Amino acid sequence: QVQLVESGGGLVQPGGSLRLSCAASGCTITSYTMAWFRQAPGKEREFVAALSRGGGSTTYADSVKGRLTISRDNAKNTVYLQMNGLASEDTGVYYCAARVGYGLVTMVSLYDYWGQGTQVTVSS
């Protein structure tokens, strides 16, 4: 049974940084396309970043390019989202997702497994 558990969220001031973690169990992250999504209050869940199964390719939403970085630690079976230069627009619940198929896809419906989410609030 695949389980994804996010952690690392919290309250941060504008311009600050956070690192989110997604610990996977019941699967090996190198066999999945891994991604982060987020959902702001009253809005639909949106794509943030994805990492290929081989680990050599990434893709990002335009709104986060240059500020957020997805990475993984194979030994820990954990995926990370390093977030720098945070702004109020980055506030929301951040979800880790895993996809069995190949391809750096950005659609919510194409991911097979989801974590429970971790709240990120950017506010002064």
Side-chain angles (χ1 to χ4, degrees), residues 16-105:
S17 298
L18 280 176
R19 189 178 78 158
L20 306 183
S21 300
C22 170
S25 60
C27 69
T28 302
I29 59 173
T30 54
S31 297
Y32 293 80
T33 299
M34 302 299 297
W36 289 93
F37 288 77
R38 67 186 181 189
Q39 188 166 17
K43 294 188 176 181
E44 293 187 352
R45 195 169 299 188
E46 66 174 4
F47 171 78
V48 174
L51 178 66
S52 65
R53 292 169 63 142
S57 297
T58 57
T59 191
Y60 296 90
D62 288 342
S63 59
V64 307
K65 283 181 181 176
R67 301 188 299 117
L68 275 58
T69 304
I70 187 171
S71 63
R72 72 186 189 195
D73 184 328
N74 295 343
K76 295 183 178 180
N77 212 35
T78 298
V79 178
Y80 302 100
L81 185 67
Q82 178 66 44
M83 305 191 294
N84 300 325
L86 286 165
S88 58
E89 308 89 83
D90 297 311
T91 293
V93 179
Y94 282 69
Y95 297 91
C96 177
R99 167 177 158 82
V100 175
Y102 288 89
L104 295 173
V105 298

